[in-house]
């Protein structure tokens, strides 16, 4: 079975349709420790080698700006300087950095701390930061010490002056939202340059605008955990209207899902994407800020669809931390289109929110 998701409305920002002589051109590069790819519909003149080179440079510079401001790996980034700043100091932030930090704190507040941009010390401790992979799980005292360096609520923002308050010892990590912002940042660049039809991807996070020259939308297949794609599923509905699709335990497959990314972004958080194995035990790279430990392994992945990739990126992480029960309930209450994939024996179980199902055909 193949499930098809169609946006409920046409995005006015993605009109008019491509010109008659337009054709898709693929550009790509490296950023944020991963890769980027942009498929953009260009006129014959814009597709000439010199014009393509200029466009590639503009895209790369746009993503380099995000890295220079928000990288935890670069000691000279604006983020690293904020993390190293003395206690009790205000710091003027560049507009992109301020925008991402402001949104990250909003998600932290709304999710009850399931998303926390100050989780950096715990990310490092569990081997997913600049310090490199761990060889043994950290001892409890070390986890508690890292948790004492958390505190998203202690960061204050001044919108009038675009400043952030460093209370002292707080280490911000925006890796759970920066890639999504990078995608949105590139979309804004393309629109400023007059390119309204494109599919942009950074490290697996995607957003599509407009359409292909033939009028088709940008079709994207949703990511599924390894060995979890392709077979039919049985569907049941719970009391909250959430649909549970259980892949056959014998085949361990999930339905194939295609999304028309017209005015939509998609982000997936999954423990199969990045993890470490220590003595046969798998530790997810997603850390629960509320416990200081990696999230449990039953919830294999969460996918969120939203018009903005920054939003989808952050919410996929927050819902992963909330888990297989609280995550779908919270997503349903907030009208989010989300898919949860849960390990169940030798098979898989999907939990699909009403907003996700509303797009299904």
């Amino acid at each position: 079975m193949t499930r098809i998701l169609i946006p409920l409305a046409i995005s006015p920002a993605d009109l008019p349709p491509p010109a008659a002589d337009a054709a898709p051109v693929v550009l790509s590069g490296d950023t944020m420790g991963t890769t980027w790819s942009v498929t953009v519909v260009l006129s014959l003149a814009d597709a000439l080698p010199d014009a393509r080179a200029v466009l590639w440079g503009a895209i790369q510079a746009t993503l380099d700006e995000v890295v220079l401001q928000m990288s935890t790996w670069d000691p000279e980034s604006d983020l690293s300087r904020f993390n190293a700043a003395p206690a009790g100091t205000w710091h003027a932030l560049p507009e992109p950095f301020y925008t991402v930090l402001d949104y990250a704190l909003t998600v932290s507040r709304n999710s009850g701390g399931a998303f926390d941009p100050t989780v950096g010390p715990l990310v490092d401790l569990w081997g997913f930061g600049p310090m490199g992979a761990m060889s043994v799980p950290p001892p409890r005292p070390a986890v508690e010490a890292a948790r004492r360096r958390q505190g998203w609520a202690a960061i204050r923002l001044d919108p009038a002056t675009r400043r952030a308050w460093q209370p002292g010892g707080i280490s911000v990590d925006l890796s759970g939202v920066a890639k999504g912002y990078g995608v949105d940042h590139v979309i804004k660049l393309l629109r400023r340059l007059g390119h309204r039809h494109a599919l942009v991807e950074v490290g697996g996070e995607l957003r599509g605008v407009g359409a292909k020259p033939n009028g088709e939308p940008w079709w994207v297949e949703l990511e599924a955990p390894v060995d979890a794609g392709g077979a039919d599923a049985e569907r049941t509905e719970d009391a909250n209207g959430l649909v549970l699709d259980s892949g056959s335990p014998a085949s361990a497959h999930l339905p194939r899902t295609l999304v028309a990314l017209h005015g939509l972004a998609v982000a997936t958080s999954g423990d199969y994407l990045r993890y470490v194995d220590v003595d046969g035990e798998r530790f997810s790279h997603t850390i629960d800020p509320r416990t200081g430990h990696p999230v449990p392994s039953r919830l294999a992945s969460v996918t969120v669809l939203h018009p903005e990739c920054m939003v989808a990126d952050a919410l996929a992480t927050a819902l992963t931390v909330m888990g297989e029960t609280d995550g779908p309930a919270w997503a349903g209450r907030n009208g989010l289109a989300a898919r949860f994939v849960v390990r169940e024996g030798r098979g898989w179980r999907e939990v699909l929110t009403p907003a996700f199902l509303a797009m299904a055909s």
Side-chain angles (χ1 to χ4, degrees):
M1 182 183 80
T2 298
R3 178 193 294 131
I4 305 295
L5 300 184
I6 305 293
L8 300 181
I10 298 296
S11 172
D14 297 343
L15 300 174
D21 67 344
V25 172
V26 179
L27 305 171
S28 61
D30 299 316
T31 189
M32 304 184 204
T34 184
T35 59
W36 63 265
S37 175
V38 173
T39 303
V40 56
V41 177
L42 299 177
S43 67
L44 290 177
D46 289 332
L48 293 174
D50 286 351
R52 289 172 58 172
V54 170
L55 180 58
W56 182 93
I59 294 170
Q60 187 66 59
T62 296
L63 292 169
D64 288 347
E65 177 185 35
V66 178
V67 174
L68 288 171
Q69 293 185 23
M70 303 177 221
S71 172
T72 58
W73 299 75
D74 182 357
E76 297 302 316
S77 72
D78 294 286
L79 177 61
S80 294
R81 289 199 296 269
F82 176 79
N83 288 344
T89 54
W90 284 97
H91 300 271
L93 304 182
E95 190 277 331
F97 182 9
Y98 184 90
T99 296
V100 174
L101 180 58
D102 184 26
Y103 181 70
L105 294 175
T106 298
V107 177
S108 299
R109 182 167 52 252
N110 293 343
S111 68
F115 184 88
D116 186 348
T118 68
V119 76
L122 287 164
V123 172
D124 292 341
L125 185 66
W126 286 96
F128 297 105
M131 302 297 292
M134 64 178 177
S135 56
V136 295
R140 187 179 191 87
V143 172
E144 292 306 314
R147 292 190 68 196
R148 287 193 292 271
R149 295 176 57 202
Q150 286 179 257
W152 64 267
I155 299 175
R156 290 151 50 193
L157 298 181
D158 180 5
T161 59
R162 213 167 56 211
R163 294 186 304 162
W165 170 265
Q166 169 58 271
I170 294 297
S171 181
V172 173
D173 182 344
L174 296 174
S175 58
V177 67
K179 285 191 298 180
Y181 176 81
V183 170
D184 294 335
H185 210 34
V186 170
I187 292 289
K188 290 179 182 178
L189 167 73
L190 294 175
R191 283 176 168 162
R192 285 199 304 270
L193 297 176
H195 306 307
R196 311 187 75 82
H197 305 275
L199 178 67
V200 177
E201 180 262 340
V202 175
E205 320 294 24
L206 299 112
R207 179 175 167 186
V209 293
K212 300 176 184 178
N214 63 1
E216 285 282 317
W218 303 102
W219 289 107
V220 172
E221 183 170 354
L222 291 192
E223 234 175 86
V226 177
D227 299 328
D232 289 348
E234 297 178 358
R235 293 161 58 90
T236 59
E237 187 169 315
D238 72 2
N240 297 315
L242 300 174
V243 171
L244 314 179
D245 284 10
S246 300
S248 164
S251 63
H253 288 313
L254 291 173
R256 184 177 183 229
T257 301
L258 297 178
V259 183
L261 284 191
H262 173 83
L264 277 180
V266 57
T268 296
S269 175
D271 67 358
Y272 63 95
L273 299 171
R274 189 176 173 209
Y275 60 91
V276 294
D277 278 320
V278 179
D279 295 331
E281 185 175 2
R282 173 181 288 195
F283 294 93
S284 169
H285 78 286
T286 302
I287 308 299
D288 186 339
R290 304 166 303 180
T291 67
H293 290 262
V295 296
S297 61
R298 268 181 53 87
L299 182 55
S301 71
V302 176
T303 297
V304 175
L305 296 167
H306 192 276
E308 292 184 68
C309 200
M310 176 178 70
V311 175
D313 196 4
L315 292 179
T317 299
L319 293 172
T320 298
V321 171
M322 290 181 196
E324 63 183 281
T325 300
D326 293 343
W330 191 88
R333 288 195 303 271
N334 287 277
L336 300 177
R339 179 184 75 163
F340 298 75
V341 178
V342 183
R343 293 183 178 88
E344 199 161 77
R346 292 182 295 115
W348 307 86
R349 177 169 57 91
E350 282 188 329
V351 182
L352 310 176
T353 64
F356 185 98
L357 284 168
M359 288 188 280
S361 62

Short mmCIF file of all heavy atoms in Angstrom, two decimals, residues 203-228:
data_model
loop_
_atom_site.label_atom_id
_atom_site.label_comp_id
_atom_site.label_asym_id
_atom_site.label_seq_id
_atom_site.Cartn_x
_atom_site.Cartn_y
_atom_site.Cartn_z
N GLY A 203 20.59 18.07 5.36
CA GLY A 203 20.73 16.98 6.31
C GLY A 203 19.47 16.16 6.52
O GLY A 203 19.21 15.68 7.61
N GLY A 204 18.65 16.00 5.47
CA GLY A 204 17.44 15.20 5.57
C GLY A 204 16.18 15.98 5.88
O GLY A 204 15.08 15.43 5.80
N GLU A 205 16.30 17.27 6.26
CA GLU A 205 15.12 18.11 6.48
C GLU A 205 14.78 18.80 5.17
O GLU A 205 15.66 19.35 4.50
CB GLU A 205 15.39 19.15 7.58
CG GLU A 205 16.20 18.66 8.77
CD GLU A 205 15.49 17.61 9.61
OE1 GLU A 205 14.59 16.92 9.10
OE2 GLU A 205 15.85 17.46 10.79
N LEU A 206 13.51 18.78 4.78
CA LEU A 206 13.11 19.26 3.46
C LEU A 206 11.96 20.24 3.51
O LEU A 206 11.12 20.19 4.41
CB LEU A 206 12.67 18.08 2.57
CG LEU A 206 13.67 16.99 2.26
CD1 LEU A 206 13.26 15.70 2.95
CD2 LEU A 206 13.78 16.79 0.77
N ARG A 207 11.94 21.10 2.49
CA ARG A 207 10.79 21.99 2.30
C ARG A 207 10.62 22.22 0.82
O ARG A 207 11.61 22.47 0.10
CB ARG A 207 10.99 23.31 3.03
CG ARG A 207 9.83 24.30 2.86
CD ARG A 207 10.03 25.55 3.68
NE ARG A 207 9.11 26.61 3.31
CZ ARG A 207 9.14 27.86 3.81
NH1 ARG A 207 10.05 28.16 4.71
NH2 ARG A 207 8.28 28.76 3.40
N GLY A 208 9.38 22.11 0.34
CA GLY A 208 9.10 22.35 -1.06
C GLY A 208 8.22 23.56 -1.25
O GLY A 208 7.29 23.80 -0.46
N VAL A 209 8.49 24.33 -2.28
CA VAL A 209 7.65 25.47 -2.65
C VAL A 209 7.39 25.40 -4.14
O VAL A 209 8.22 24.92 -4.91
CB VAL A 209 8.31 26.82 -2.28
CG1 VAL A 209 8.40 27.00 -0.78
CG2 VAL A 209 9.69 26.97 -2.91
N GLY A 210 6.20 25.86 -4.55
CA GLY A 210 5.88 25.86 -5.96
C GLY A 210 5.69 24.47 -6.51
O GLY A 210 5.19 23.57 -5.83
N ALA A 211 6.11 24.26 -7.75
CA ALA A 211 5.89 22.98 -8.43
C ALA A 211 6.97 22.75 -9.46
O ALA A 211 7.79 23.64 -9.77
CB ALA A 211 4.52 23.00 -9.10
N LYS A 212 6.99 21.53 -9.99
CA LYS A 212 7.88 21.20 -11.10
C LYS A 212 7.37 21.86 -12.38
O LYS A 212 6.20 22.27 -12.46
CB LYS A 212 7.94 19.69 -11.27
CG LYS A 212 8.45 18.93 -10.06
CD LYS A 212 8.39 17.43 -10.31
CE LYS A 212 8.80 16.65 -9.08
NZ LYS A 212 8.69 15.17 -9.31
N PRO A 213 8.21 21.94 -13.42
CA PRO A 213 7.75 22.57 -14.67
C PRO A 213 6.52 21.90 -15.27
O PRO A 213 5.72 22.56 -15.95
CB PRO A 213 8.97 22.41 -15.60
CG PRO A 213 10.13 22.37 -14.66
CD PRO A 213 9.65 21.63 -13.45
N ASN A 214 6.33 20.60 -15.03
CA ASN A 214 5.16 19.91 -15.57
C ASN A 214 3.91 20.08 -14.71
O ASN A 214 2.86 19.48 -14.99
CB ASN A 214 5.45 18.42 -15.76
CG ASN A 214 5.74 17.70 -14.44
OD1 ASN A 214 5.70 18.30 -13.37
ND2 ASN A 214 6.05 16.41 -14.53
N GLY A 215 4.00 20.90 -13.66
CA GLY A 215 2.86 21.15 -12.80
C GLY A 215 2.72 20.19 -11.64
O GLY A 215 1.88 20.40 -10.77
N GLU A 216 3.54 19.14 -11.62
CA GLU A 216 3.52 18.18 -10.51
C GLU A 216 4.14 18.81 -9.26
O GLU A 216 5.07 19.61 -9.36
CB GLU A 216 4.29 16.92 -10.88
CG GLU A 216 3.57 16.00 -11.85
CD GLU A 216 2.49 15.19 -11.15
OE1 GLU A 216 2.74 14.67 -10.03
OE2 GLU A 216 1.40 15.07 -11.72
N PRO A 217 3.65 18.43 -8.08
CA PRO A 217 4.31 18.90 -6.85
C PRO A 217 5.63 18.18 -6.64
O PRO A 217 5.97 17.24 -7.37
CB PRO A 217 3.30 18.53 -5.76
CG PRO A 217 2.59 17.34 -6.31
CD PRO A 217 2.49 17.56 -7.80
N TRP A 218 6.36 18.60 -5.64
CA TRP A 218 7.59 17.93 -5.25
C TRP A 218 7.22 16.72 -4.39
O TRP A 218 6.84 16.86 -3.25
CB TRP A 218 8.51 18.88 -4.48
CG TRP A 218 8.84 20.12 -5.22
CD1 TRP A 218 8.30 21.36 -5.04
CD2 TRP A 218 9.79 20.26 -6.28
NE1 TRP A 218 8.84 22.26 -5.91
CE2 TRP A 218 9.77 21.62 -6.69
CE3 TRP A 218 10.65 19.38 -6.93
CZ2 TRP A 218 10.58 22.11 -7.71
CZ3 TRP A 218 11.46 19.86 -7.95
CH2 TRP A 218 11.42 21.20 -8.33
N TRP A 219 7.31 15.53 -4.97
CA TRP A 219 6.95 14.33 -4.23
C TRP A 219 8.13 13.84 -3.42
O TRP A 219 9.24 13.70 -3.93
CB TRP A 219 6.52 13.23 -5.20
CG TRP A 219 5.20 13.48 -5.85
CD1 TRP A 219 4.99 13.84 -7.14
CD2 TRP A 219 3.91 13.40 -5.24
NE1 TRP A 219 3.64 14.00 -7.39
CE2 TRP A 219 2.95 13.72 -6.23
CE3 TRP A 219 3.47 13.07 -3.95
CZ2 TRP A 219 1.59 13.74 -5.97
CZ3 TRP A 219 2.11 13.08 -3.70
CH2 TRP A 219 1.18 13.41 -4.69
N VAL A 220 7.88 13.58 -2.14
CA VAL A 220 8.92 13.11 -1.23
C VAL A 220 8.39 11.90 -0.47
O VAL A 220 7.24 11.93 0.01
CB VAL A 220 9.34 14.22 -0.24
CG1 VAL A 220 10.28 13.67 0.83
CG2 VAL A 220 10.01 15.36 -0.98
N GLU A 221 9.19 10.87 -0.36
CA GLU A 221 8.80 9.70 0.42
C GLU A 221 9.25 9.88 1.86
O GLU A 221 10.42 10.21 2.11
CB GLU A 221 9.40 8.42 -0.14
CG GLU A 221 8.95 7.17 0.61
CD GLU A 221 9.36 5.87 -0.08
OE1 GLU A 221 9.90 5.95 -1.21
OE2 GLU A 221 9.14 4.80 0.51
N LEU A 222 8.33 9.70 2.80
CA LEU A 222 8.67 9.88 4.21
C LEU A 222 9.68 8.82 4.64
O LEU A 222 9.59 7.65 4.27
CB LEU A 222 7.43 9.79 5.10
CG LEU A 222 6.41 10.91 5.01
CD1 LEU A 222 5.42 10.80 6.16
CD2 LEU A 222 7.08 12.27 5.01
N GLU A 223 10.62 9.27 5.45
CA GLU A 223 11.62 8.38 6.01
C GLU A 223 10.97 7.37 6.93
O GLU A 223 10.04 7.68 7.67
CB GLU A 223 12.62 9.22 6.83
CG GLU A 223 14.06 9.03 6.43
CD GLU A 223 14.93 9.98 7.21
OE1 GLU A 223 15.33 9.64 8.33
OE2 GLU A 223 15.20 11.08 6.70
N ALA A 224 11.48 6.15 6.90
CA ALA A 224 11.03 5.12 7.84
C ALA A 224 12.26 4.45 8.44
O ALA A 224 13.33 4.44 7.82
CB ALA A 224 10.17 4.09 7.13
N PRO A 225 12.15 3.90 9.63
CA PRO A 225 13.28 3.19 10.21
C PRO A 225 13.76 2.07 9.27
O PRO A 225 13.00 1.55 8.46
CB PRO A 225 12.72 2.60 11.51
CG PRO A 225 11.58 3.49 11.84
CD PRO A 225 11.01 3.93 10.54
N VAL A 226 15.03 1.72 9.38
CA VAL A 226 15.59 0.66 8.55
C VAL A 226 14.76 -0.60 8.69
O VAL A 226 14.34 -0.99 9.79
CB VAL A 226 17.05 0.39 8.98
CG1 VAL A 226 17.64 -0.77 8.16
CG2 VAL A 226 17.89 1.64 8.81
N ASP A 227 14.46 -1.26 7.53
CA ASP A 227 13.67 -2.49 7.47
C ASP A 227 12.23 -2.27 7.90
O ASP A 227 11.57 -3.20 8.35
CB ASP A 227 14.28 -3.59 8.35
CG ASP A 227 15.67 -3.96 7.89
OD1 ASP A 227 15.91 -3.89 6.67
OD2 ASP A 227 16.50 -4.31 8.73
N ALA A 228 11.72 -1.04 7.74
CA ALA A 228 10.33 -0.79 8.17
C ALA A 228 9.49 -0.21 7.05
O ALA A 228 8.55 0.51 7.31
CB ALA A 228 10.30 0.14 9.37
#
